[in-house]
Amino acid sequence: MDTWFGAEEEPSPSANCPICKGAGVVHPRLSSGKPDFSQVVACRCVKKELANERQGRLQRYSNLGALTQFTFDNLEPQGRRGNPKSQEQFQRAYEAAKAFATEPKGWLILSGPSGGGKTHLAAAIANERIGHGYPALYITASDLLDHLRSAFSLDSEMPYDEFFDQVRNAPLLILDDLGAQTSTSWAKEKLDQLLTHRFNSKLPTVIVPIIPLEQLEERIQTRLTDPELSQVCVIEEKQPLSLDYTWGSEFELQKSMTFDNFDWRRVNLPSDQRENLEMVYRAVFNFAQSPDGWLVLQGENGCGKTHLAAAIVNYRYQANQPARFIVVPEFLDHLRSAFSPESKVSYDQSFERVKTAPLLVLDDFGEQSTTPWAREKLYQVINYRYNAKLPTVITTVFTLDEDEIESRIASRLVDHKLSTFLYIKAPDYRSDALSQRKATRRKGRWG
């Protein structure tokens, strides 16, 4: 993130400027039209460069990245939804966001399910302010906490206190995905300090919760709904999460696997493996925020593939969005049992739910039985989702270039137009942890 934009560098005049001839200054004109040689003022070329430099610093400071393309001009005032009530809600939020961008006062809270356009509206506010020469800082709650943690490092580009102070006192702060952060006491404290400071100072703030307001911490919820400071815009009614898209009792372990407790900073790893793990982690987290296409995670058992895949599902559930997690060998066993006359769930119903899931995770792909029946069932799932371009995550220990996965399936998994292939270099962390414990015991015994 760029530092505060206020300290502007001295602009350089243009050597090709026909007015000042590269001098950077000119004599102003008297009322008679003649030059006033007793005064000098900055040339237009210098003023233009100064304006361009300021605009560039505003853009870098904003932290918007690819969100610079999200403006009011490319957003329908009634949103993308067909429901009349949803369109009416979005229209009100759109008008509130436009008014806030014109004159930011108090807090604007954009609430509603993911995919409704909240982030677009928030980014449009920032882009509108920047376009008129005013600063705005955009950051997600998770990125904020990551930046704060990394700022403790000795080699951090910006000290912790300086970074936190910059965010707390930003002239306009857009805080996205509030509620997706870790629930540790440290994270709660940092967010509380940030929001309390901006609340007491009445600093203009746009907040986009990723979960319903009533599920936020009571202290945060109170500030976000304060009638004297906050304007709450609900973009779309909350839709109850189908029971078909919740963790079953057999997934207690996966239920606890989140992005917050995934340790990509494993200090015992060589630097190249740790950098690879961080790259994979961030790519998977970005996918969880906006699932699009296919994500294939490959690496040896215990490297973290299942944890990351389950973290995607937990993230989507927290955002009240559907997702289905399937362990491939168990899924095939379930399909076989569904053929039984005693089965309470029909085979067709089970198969269709998996095949058409809005977001599907296929864990341990390739570990299943290699019977023709199993291969055909998996191909039907893969082929359907490939043609429909449904978001899919696949974890596997097998490589795709050694004929370990059937060619008609492998060809779809490596299609660069649809799939992102991520290889995890890290070894089995469970066996590594076991080795460390044994080494510690040996050291204690003989040390």
Side-chain angles (χ1 to χ4, degrees):
M1 180 181 296
D2 198 36
T3 54
W4 176 242
F5 68 92
E8 296 166 341
E9 299 178 0
E10 191 69 26
S12 301
S14 172
N16 299 321
C17 179
I19 299 175
C20 70
K21 311 296 185 186
V25 293
V26 294
H27 298 290
R29 297 283 178 175
L30 297 169
S31 57
S32 63
K34 295 181 179 181
D36 181 0
F37 293 106
S38 66
Q39 298 185 58
V40 292
V41 295
C43 179
R44 280 183 294 180
C45 68
V46 173
K47 292 179 180 179
K48 182 178 180 181
E49 183 176 342
L50 182 61
N52 290 339
E53 171 63 20
R54 178 178 173 82
Q55 195 68 18
R57 289 181 66 80
L58 283 169
Q59 201 66 63
R60 293 192 298 274
Y61 168 80
S62 73
N63 197 44
L64 282 165
L67 297 183
T68 53
Q69 63 182 318
F70 286 179
T71 67
F72 288 112
D73 291 336
N74 56 27
L75 183 63
E76 289 292 332
Q78 293 183 330
R80 296 171 296 180
R81 309 279 181 171
N83 185 303
K85 184 177 181 181
S86 297
Q87 289 183 337
E88 183 181 338
Q89 289 174 323
F90 191 90
Q91 178 83 42
R92 286 198 294 267
Y94 178 91
E95 292 171 357
K98 286 275 286 186
F100 191 92
T102 301
E103 188 178 4
K105 283 186 177 180
W107 288 15
L108 178 64
I109 315 301
L110 301 174
S111 178
S114 294
K118 303 188 303 296
T119 294
H120 193 139
L121 282 173
I125 292 172
N127 285 311
E128 186 83 1
R129 296 300 294 169
I130 292 168
H132 286 88
Y134 298 101
L137 174 61
Y138 170 92
I139 195 166
T140 66
S142 297
D143 280 347
L144 167 64
L145 295 171
D146 271 351
H147 278 301
L148 288 175
R149 292 186 188 98
S150 64
F152 282 115
S153 172
L154 294 177
D155 57 357
S156 173
E157 294 181 3
M158 187 184 298
Y160 170 87
D161 291 338
E162 183 181 344
F163 170 74
F164 195 37
D165 187 64
Q166 177 171 308
V167 177
R168 288 200 312 166
N169 293 299
L172 171 59
L173 175 67
I174 291 101
L175 184 63
D176 202 353
D177 283 353
L178 180 66
Q181 67 284 346
T182 177
S183 58
T184 65
S185 56
W186 179 87
K188 289 178 182 177
E189 180 186 354
K190 293 300 108 180
L191 285 171
D192 183 66
Q193 289 175 4
L194 169 66
L195 295 176
T196 297
H197 175 79
R198 297 190 68 84
F199 181 86
N200 292 334
S201 303
K202 294 181 170 55
L203 291 172
T205 308
V206 178
I207 297 178
V208 182
I210 197 172
I211 59 177
L213 291 176
E214 59 269 21
Q215 293 180 20
L216 290 168
E217 291 282 331
E218 184 178 357
R219 186 176 172 87
I220 293 178
Q221 184 184 147
T222 301
R223 283 163 170 68
L224 267 59
T225 56
D226 182 271
E228 295 183 4
L229 182 69
S230 297
Q231 179 182 6
V232 178
C233 294
V234 179
I235 290 181
E236 186 177 16
E237 289 290 339
K238 172 187 172 184
Q239 298 297 321
L241 184 62
S242 168
L243 293 177
D244 287 339
Y245 296 113
T246 54
W247 289 111
S249 58
E250 71 273 27
F251 291 120
E252 281 304 308
L253 182 61
Q254 287 85 350
K255 190 176 180 180
S256 66
M257 294 176 174
T258 66
F259 288 111
D260 295 319
N261 58 30
F262 181 80
D263 183 17
W264 57 264
R265 299 179 178 87
R266 300 175 201 167
V267 294
N268 57 308
L269 290 178
S271 59
D272 66 317
Q273 292 184 4
R274 191 162 58 250
E275 290 170 3
N276 165 261
L277 200 58
E278 179 182 1
M279 179 276 293
V280 172
Y281 169 87
R282 297 198 181 282
V284 174
F285 183 74
N286 289 337
F287 182 92
Q289 292 178 301
S290 182
D292 185 27
W294 287 16
L295 196 62
V296 182
L297 302 176
Q298 196 264 327
E300 70 177 72
N301 287 321
C303 69
K305 305 185 304 297
T306 295
H307 190 136
L308 288 171
I312 294 173
V313 175
N314 280 310
Y315 186 97
R316 301 306 293 174
Y317 284 173
Q318 191 177 31
N320 201 47
Q321 294 297 308
R324 188 178 293 279
F325 186 99
I326 296 296
V327 179
V328 174
E330 295 175 5
F331 165 60
L332 293 174
D333 286 341
H334 179 74
L335 285 182
R336 291 187 186 96
S337 66
F339 276 114
S340 170
E342 292 79 28
S343 176
K344 295 180 180 179
V345 181
S346 75
Y347 164 85
D348 290 338
Q349 192 176 37
S350 297
F351 191 64
E352 284 298 310
R353 284 176 178 173
V354 171
K355 192 175 73 172
T356 61
L359 171 61
L360 177 66
V361 173
L362 293 171
D363 193 35
D364 284 346
F365 193 90
E367 299 278 11
Q368 68 279 353
S369 166
T370 56
T371 64
W373 182 88
R375 289 197 298 268
E376 186 58 31
K377 293 300 108 182
L378 283 174
Y379 174 73
Q380 289 175 12
V381 170
I382 292 292
N383 191 53
Y384 178 89
R385 300 188 66 81
Y386 178 83
N387 291 330
K389 293 182 171 57
L390 290 173
T392 307
V393 180
I394 296 171
T395 76
T396 182
V397 297
F398 296 105
T399 57
L400 304 181
D401 56 354
E402 296 176 4
D403 296 328
E404 292 179 310
I405 293 179
E406 188 179 2
S407 60
R408 60 178 178 168
I409 292 179
S411 65
R412 286 161 172 76
L413 300 189
V414 298
D415 183 358
H416 68 276
K417 294 179 182 178
L418 183 66
S419 294
T420 299
F421 188 90
L422 297 174
Y423 173 69
I424 301 178
K425 296 180 180 180
D428 186 337
Y429 70 90
R430 292 169 297 198
S431 62
D432 186 62
L434 180 61
S435 299
Q436 282 189 324
R437 287 196 294 269
K438 288 180 178 178
T440 302
R441 287 198 295 270
R442 284 197 298 271
K443 183 176 180 181
R445 187 180 302 166
W446 306 106

